Amino acid sequence: MTFDDLLHKIGDFGKYQRRIYFFLCLPAISCALHKLSGVFILAKTDYRCQLPGEPDNASYGLPPDIMNKSYPFDYKLDHFSSCKMYDTNFTEAYYSSNITANQSIACHRWIYDRHDFQNTAVMEFNLVCDRAWYKGTADSMLMVGVMLGSIIFGYLSDRIGRKNIFVISVLLQGISGCGMAFTQEYWSFTFLRVLVGASTSGLYLAAYVIGLEFVSSKYRMVVGVVIQMFFSVGFLLTSGFAYAFHENWRYFQLAITIPTLFYTTYYWFVPESVRWLLANGKQDKAVQILQKVCRVNGVDISGKDIVEILECDIEKKLTVNADDQPKASFFDLFKHPVILKRSIIIMLLWFVNSTAYYGLSWSTSNLGGNQYFVFNLFGIVEFPAYIFLLATLNKWGRKINISGFLILAGLALLATLAVPKTNTWMVIFFAMMAKMSITASYGAVYVYTAEQFPTVVRNMGLGVGSFFARIGGIVAPYINNTSEIWVNMPLVVYGGLALLVGVWSLVLPETLNRKLPDTIEDLIAMSEKKYKRVLINDPATNGDVKKDKNKY
């Protein structure tokens, strides 16, 4: 009997696991709050140049005749310039005359529309005009932190344990998150966002892995998807916090950070992963946890029986590992054409899903309409996406879900090109459909990636895919900044990428209910066997399999 058999005996997903799993899902809410808070902390509002003599607290609105005499009209963006004003003395005599200035100059002080947001980091640090790219950089650096956190905390979780990484990440998020609320200049603010991003990776990764390693393979897909639904709950709560604290972004930042400190209590009641304890020779602690699982789940197994099963499982693994087999390396992902093709497409799948998911989530202010309402719509559509995924992933397969949803997202986003500028809600509708599709595709890509690679490089494949997802998150804010040039540009870029990669991913094989390869040689053999079978069934080849195989 193996550990998986023991887990089945004491409860695949019993009362104890369900209780712990619920608490482990809650940190996903905090991770969503911090990853998406930039939509409101760095909210883009209308602004204009501050005219000479105007007080800092002047209202944004001006009469049309004053606007016409003060600012040049930007025909490309179809509104008065927000970054230039006419070079004139702005005297009362000038405004009463019929003369209009024709020379403009760049401005360095602005008046902001504070109707929806009283104060944001964009207003405070003046991240507009030639400094507009600083806004994108702040979001990109958050994702740089997410990438660094996934690498560093992923490595350390295998070294010092998932539970220790969880606690460290909680403390890091609490300290850096609160520190952000007191920063007085842009670069300190951005550096702390890097640390917050890193903490979200450590927190989510540790909670996800502990929860996953406490259930049998039968429930892993459900466990993996449900925790992402808690992330969607955090998506919705973000706008609630933002609305409650719209007077000042610093209060908002404190409000989403302070509850994180509650997770420090997990140290006393959330157990370490039993699989990690066994892998690191801590069998006594593992047995204690398993005895508690048995007690809560109402299963009668003695500690002695648990020890015997675990020792038997360890001996089997030692016997398997004793074989002198060469270890696979990172470069094995690119050596053979079969695995090279899979690696490239998987990397693109992660990149496009992440870019489109975060890009659309962060771009709600560019779509028009009420920002809080539109943001909530983008969060609500995630729930039917995950529910549909749970219902179809093991029925329709992985390929049709991922490729189909990407293609649907691409078509929906490109359809916005045909929508008139005045029809804001039609644009929002298509963007919302795309967000739902991307969410479903992103939720399935974890499982699909693990099943595309052989056992010897499976973790490496997941790691490379995750790395490209972080690259996508880093690039997304800069793509959103292209809305300054053309408002539809981000949607077109995301739509084109989703459609292209969605179609290309159709060449990958379906993995539902298929035997997974253990080695790269197995993968190559399975691929060639499949190719032969196609040739044999094709009357056009006249049974000349050898000739066509050589072409392959």
Side-chain angles (χ1 to χ4, degrees), residues 162-430:
R162 287 79 160 102
K163 187 174 176 178
N164 287 330
I165 289 301
F166 182 90
V167 175
I168 292 171
S169 299
V170 168
L171 295 175
L172 178 62
Q173 190 168 107
I175 295 170
S176 56
C178 289
M180 270 182 61
F182 296 98
T183 52
Q184 299 301 314
E185 49 87 29
Y186 171 79
W187 290 111
S188 298
F189 168 83
T190 303
F191 173 72
L192 288 172
R193 274 178 71 79
V194 175
L195 298 184
V196 168
S199 72
T200 63
S201 276
L203 199 61
Y204 190 87
L205 176 71
Y208 184 89
V209 172
I210 292 174
L212 203 65
E213 293 182 339
F214 256 103
V215 301
S216 68
S217 57
K218 179 181 177 182
Y219 287 93
R220 282 178 195 161
M221 188 193 75
V222 175
V223 166
V225 173
V226 169
I227 194 170
Q228 295 180 64
M229 295 178 75
F230 275 79
F231 188 93
S232 300
V233 172
F235 199 118
L236 295 176
L237 288 176
T238 302
S239 61
F241 276 104
Y243 185 78
F245 299 98
H246 68 279
E247 297 91 355
N248 195 311
W249 70 268
R250 297 180 186 276
Y251 298 151
F252 169 59
Q253 179 62 34
L254 286 173
I256 66 173
T257 301
I258 291 174
T260 303
L261 299 177
F262 160 76
Y263 302 130
T264 55
T265 61
Y266 282 26
Y267 182 81
W268 288 278
F269 70 90
V270 171
E272 178 58 271
S273 165
V274 172
R275 292 182 186 272
W276 182 83
L277 291 171
L278 293 174
N280 287 271
K282 301 178 185 293
Q283 185 172 307
D284 291 342
K285 290 184 178 180
V287 171
Q288 290 176 9
I289 294 172
L290 290 172
Q291 285 179 311
K292 186 174 182 180
V293 175
C294 292
R295 186 167 61 253
V296 175
N297 288 352
V299 179
D300 186 17
I301 300 180
S302 67
K304 182 180 179 182
D305 290 339
I306 293 175
V307 170
E308 289 179 357
I309 294 169
L310 295 179
E311 288 179 346
C312 179
D313 192 28
I314 291 171
E315 287 179 7
K316 285 183 179 180
K317 289 178 180 177
L318 289 174
T319 302
V320 172
N321 293 335
D323 297 334
D324 189 17
Q325 294 288 342
K327 290 186 177 180
S329 69
F330 165 78
F331 298 102
D332 287 321
L333 291 172
F334 311 98
K335 281 184 177 179
H336 193 278
V338 174
I339 197 168
L340 173 63
K341 178 181 71 176
R342 295 192 182 195
S343 298
I344 292 174
I345 297 176
I346 289 297
M347 288 187 294
L348 288 172
L349 280 174
W350 282 83
F351 174 81
V352 169
N353 274 289
S354 178
T355 305
Y357 179 86
Y358 286 107
L360 289 173
S361 298
W362 290 332
S363 66
T364 52
S365 61
N366 296 333
L367 299 176
N370 183 284
Q371 290 193 40
Y372 299 104
F373 182 66
V374 174
F375 187 84
N376 275 335
L377 285 179
F378 273 54
I380 289 171
V381 298
E382 293 195 0
F383 292 97
Y386 287 130
I387 292 170
F388 186 84
L389 198 61
L390 284 171
T392 62
L393 200 57
N394 283 339
K395 290 183 179 180
W396 295 0
R398 288 74 159 107
K399 180 176 176 177
I400 191 171
N401 273 291
I402 292 178
S403 301
F405 278 121
L406 273 179
I407 292 170
L408 179 60
L411 293 174
L413 289 171
L414 293 178
T416 59
L417 291 173
V419 179
K421 291 181 180 179
T422 55
N423 200 336
T424 300
W425 284 105
M426 186 58 71
V427 173
I428 292 172
F429 171 77
F430 281 122

Side-chain angles (χ1 to χ4, degrees), residues 32-58:
L33 287 168
H34 285 286
K35 281 188 175 182
L36 299 167
S37 63
V39 173
F40 301 102
I41 288 176
L42 294 162
K44 177 185 174 183
T45 63
D46 291 330
Y47 57 93
R48 62 176 176 81
C49 294
Q50 183 176 354
L51 300 176
E54 268 194 309
D56 291 338
N57 61 350

Side-chain angles (χ1 to χ4, degrees), residues 92-108:
E92 187 175 340
Y94 169 72
Y95 284 123
S96 62
S97 70
N98 293 323
I99 302 173
T100 302
N102 56 13
Q103 184 175 351
S104 60
I105 57 173
C107 56
H108 303 286

